Amino acid sequence: MSNSKELNAYNIWCSNVKDFNLCDDLMKIKDFPDEIFERFYKSLNFGTAGLRGILGAGTNRMNIYTVAKATQGYAKYLNKIKENCSVAIAYDSRNMSKEFAEITANVFCANGIKVYLFRQRQPTPILSYAVRELKTDAGIVITASHNPSEYNGYKAYNNEGCQIDEQTALAVLSEIEKLDIFSDILYCDFNKAVDEGKIVYLGEDLANSFVDKTYDSLLNKEISQKSDISIVYTPLNGAGYVPIMNILNKMGIKNIHVVESQKNPDGNFPTCPYPNPEMKEALAEGLKLCQEVGADLLIASDPDADRAGVAIKNGDEYTVLTGNQIGELLTYYICKIKSERHLMPQTPVIVKSVVSSKLCDKIGIDYNVRVKEVLTGFKNIGGYMKKLERENRLENFLMGFEESCGYLTTDLARDKDSVCAIANIAEMAAYFKSQGKSLIDVLNSLYEKYGYYFTKSKSFEFKGASGEKIMEKIMISLHQAPPAYLGDIEVLSHKDYLEEDELKTNMVELVLDNDITVMVRPSGTEPKIKFYYFIVGSSNDDCNEKYNYAVKITEEFLKNFN
């Protein structure tokens, strides 16, 4: 280790870092070569999702230097393609989010780019909306979405309010890789830039107009105002509380209970170390309050309020819905109401990721709605919306969704949006309650009509440099030498998405001989491989049994690579 490039990089950082906390962090690891290696063996990946990583000192960590370097690269890219650029910047409740937002604003400004910086924490969808409203050339939101508390991130957006595409990400990365992290970054006098109007603080007007327009898009406003529906809401200590409470209040919903321990922004997420609304563990505090007040449903938003999680009262217990089940319900509700009220556009379309529920296709057929599949990542849903807009067909867009609890039911943003999702879910629950049904009843009626479609994903984590190599081996094997059997179940067919045209990506599909389809892809933002299980069964119990067995044989398969 003494002659390694990692140790050399570490020593350069020790000589150049001025930030007290980062200096202290560097000193703490000086006698731990493995930790030095992990922090310096590479730079944080910059891709279509921007940056994401653990907070701390090092090139493979989120800190003011790695954020500044990424910003310098994006600034150089923007200045090459256009003069007099501008950018909107938002941040969530995570540790260091405000500081990273300010250093991002500083570097953009130093590069001659006008900055619009939100003064208060704002959700990701409001940043996307701000880019479109202000007509800026780019956007940044500082967040690690639903990752654990030790993470933060840097989401990069284009002038459409959509996360940047692969071509842009590669061009920005090319600029980043030319830079020395300490000597090539431009900085300005932040306070002077504010005084001169080069950095403009944004107040609440934009956020309020976003809420107002989201409310205007709702289909059944009168139902919510009359309903006695009882809702528990938790922002999971994130940025969603203000806009989501604003819209629920605007809807006239009176019986709202907020989880007090998760109400205020807190980057440590003390009652919820993994603030992912897809996971039942993250909803524990909300479910406890549901039992106390007898609420009809629990709704949660994640730290940057782009994802929404839901649990429904089911007898004396509460059932946590999967992201796909929420998508199925919203698909049915929007199609039903628009059809009944003669509001359906001429050629309606719902856009979903390729790994999301197949039941929606069946619902779409009944309502003569096209269900368009795109690659994983909401940037692809936003990209399809851009295509519709370019062709003057955006009015045909009904909804976009992906299985990881991301939904968009308006054209205000180009990224997933828990504000509009939660408003629609609350309205939908109120509507069906007026008919004497819970959302569980509605789901069961869909299964009775179309069959039991069960879709669930499971992530397998591979940390550090050794984990990256294992992930690479797994994916190469699945592409080049897929198994003939998974456990004792025959693999009937294999689809390699690297060989696809429109849907080309690093993903593999295996169709098994028991009504199970498995889709496998590495995460673009985390050290994980995600397995998606699509199951058709005779009942919910049958599907759960098949799923548990599928996970078991997946785990056995993965042991071959350790």
Side-chain angles (χ1 to χ4, degrees), residues 185-234:
I185 316 303
L186 301 181
Y187 296 95
C188 69
D189 182 320
F190 186 90
N191 292 329
K192 184 180 177 184
V194 172
D195 292 341
E196 292 175 350
K198 295 175 181 176
I199 297 176
V200 178
Y201 274 114
L202 297 173
E204 293 297 316
D205 290 351
L206 265 176
N208 290 338
S209 70
F210 175 81
V211 169
D212 290 343
K213 290 177 183 178
T214 301
Y215 174 76
D216 290 342
S217 74
L218 295 174
L219 299 174
N220 244 330
K221 299 180 183 68
E222 68 282 357
I223 286 287
S224 300
Q225 291 166 1
K226 293 186 292 188
S227 178
D228 64 347
I229 193 160
S230 173
I231 295 173
V232 166
Y233 167 59
T234 173

Side-chain angles (χ1 to χ4, degrees), residues 478-543:
L478 286 169
H479 285 298
Q480 297 179 358
Y485 284 81
L486 201 59
D488 59 353
I489 303 176
E490 185 179 1
V491 177
L492 299 179
S493 66
H494 162 260
K495 183 175 182 179
D496 186 345
Y497 278 80
L498 285 177
E499 298 174 358
E500 295 293 299
D501 292 327
E502 188 179 349
L503 294 175
K504 185 172 182 177
T505 189
N506 185 14
M507 184 166 67
V508 169
E509 176 184 282
L510 304 174
V511 178
L512 309 185
D513 186 24
N514 63 343
D515 283 327
I516 298 178
T517 297
V518 184
M519 299 178 82
V520 188
R521 73 171 186 90
S523 169
T525 56
E526 301 172 86
K528 295 177 179 179
I529 291 182
K530 296 191 79 170
F531 282 70
Y532 302 84
Y533 303 92
F534 298 85
I535 299 168
V536 181
S538 59
S539 67
N540 193 52
D541 287 343
D542 178 40
C543 289

Side-chain angles (χ1 to χ4, degrees), residues 21 30 36 90 102 152 169 267 286 289 301 407 425-426 443 461 467 512 520 560:
N21 290 324
K30 67 184 178 69
I36 290 173
E102 289 176 349
N152 210 330
L289 183 56
S301 55
Y407 315 94
I425 291 163
L443 261 182
E461 192 166 27
L512 309 185
V520 188
N560 297 323

Side-chain angles (χ1 to χ4, degrees), residues 54-101:
I54 295 170
L55 290 163
T59 57
N60 190 30
R61 292 291 185 267
M62 283 291 295
N63 53 67
I64 57 173
Y65 297 101
T66 52
V67 167
K69 185 178 180 182
T71 304
Q72 182 68 45
Y74 199 11
K76 289 178 80 69
Y77 166 80
L78 290 171
N79 283 332
K80 279 186 175 180
I81 63 172
K82 188 187 171 191
E83 294 181 355
N84 301 317
C85 288
S86 60
V87 61
I89 302 171
Y91 61 95
D92 72 356
S93 65
R94 285 184 176 271
N95 294 329
M96 295 298 294
S97 279
K98 184 178 181 182
E99 291 85 350
F100 291 163

Side-chain angles (χ1 to χ4, degrees), residues 77-222:
Y77 166 80
L78 290 171
N79 283 332
K80 279 186 175 180
I81 63 172
K82 188 187 171 191
E83 294 181 355
N84 301 317
C85 288
S86 60
V87 61
I89 302 171
Y91 61 95
D92 72 356
S93 65
R94 285 184 176 271
N95 294 329
M96 295 298 294
S97 279
K98 184 178 181 182
E99 291 85 350
F100 291 163
E102 289 176 349
I103 204 76
T104 300
N106 187 314
V107 174
F108 273 128
C109 182
N111 282 272
I113 294 172
K114 183 163 186 175
V115 174
Y116 296 92
L117 175 63
F118 277 102
R119 190 178 292 276
Q120 305 296 333
R121 301 172 186 88
Q122 294 293 351
T124 286
I126 290 181
L127 181 278
S128 178
Y129 171 73
V131 168
R132 296 173 57 75
E133 284 292 292
L134 298 170
K135 295 182 170 53
T136 63
D137 301 286
I140 302 292
V141 60
I142 305 298
T143 178
S145 193
H146 58 286
N147 282 69
S149 58
E150 62 266 29
Y151 282 77
N152 210 330
Y154 178 104
K155 286 185 183 177
Y157 290 78
N158 62 20
N159 63 354
E160 296 287 331
C162 187
Q163 286 192 50
I164 58 173
D165 59 24
E166 191 168 345
Q167 183 179 356
T168 303
L170 288 172
V172 174
L173 178 60
S174 174
E175 296 293 343
I176 293 170
E177 289 176 336
K178 298 172 188 175
L179 301 170
D180 181 274
I181 199 166
F182 296 113
S183 61
D184 291 339
I185 316 303
L186 301 181
Y187 296 95
C188 69
D189 182 320
F190 186 90
N191 292 329
K192 184 180 177 184
V194 172
D195 292 341
E196 292 175 350
K198 295 175 181 176
I199 297 176
V200 178
Y201 274 114
L202 297 173
E204 293 297 316
D205 290 351
L206 265 176
N208 290 338
S209 70
F210 175 81
V211 169
D212 290 343
K213 290 177 183 178
T214 301
Y215 174 76
D216 290 342
S217 74
L218 295 174
L219 299 174
N220 244 330
K221 299 180 183 68
E222 68 282 357

